[in-house]
Amino acid sequence: ACIHVPPPPPNQIVYAEFKKGFKLSSLYDPFWLYGTIKTTIVENDTATAAYSIEVDSIKPYTEE
């Protein structure tokens, strides 16, 4: 999600969890996230998400 005010509605946000952790070199680099997505409400200081994904792997974005 973009960090702006107000945040997008919950149905436009996916909260991602990656157990291995992931170090970003830039906030603007896109990635493909692979895993299991489910409908779950996640609320934190940034926003509220209506979906979550348990990420199995992360790959740099490329047009396929």
Side-chain angles (χ1 to χ4, degrees), residues 18-38:
F18 189 52
K19 292 183 186 206
K20 296 180 183 180
F22 187 75
K23 185 175 180 178
L24 287 173
S25 57
S26 171
L27 287 175
Y28 302 102
D29 293 338
F31 295 90
W32 290 109
L33 302 179
Y34 297 90
T36 304
I37 194 166
K38 48 189 165 172

Side-chain angles (χ1 to χ4, degrees), residues 30-59:
F31 295 90
W32 290 109
L33 302 179
Y34 297 90
T36 304
I37 194 166
K38 48 189 165 172
T39 54
T40 305
I41 299 293
V42 177
E43 296 183 65
N44 59 36
D45 293 338
T46 306
T48 301
Y51 305 97
S52 67
I53 184 171
E54 292 179 23
V55 179
D56 295 325
S57 65
I58 299 173
K59 296 183 181 176

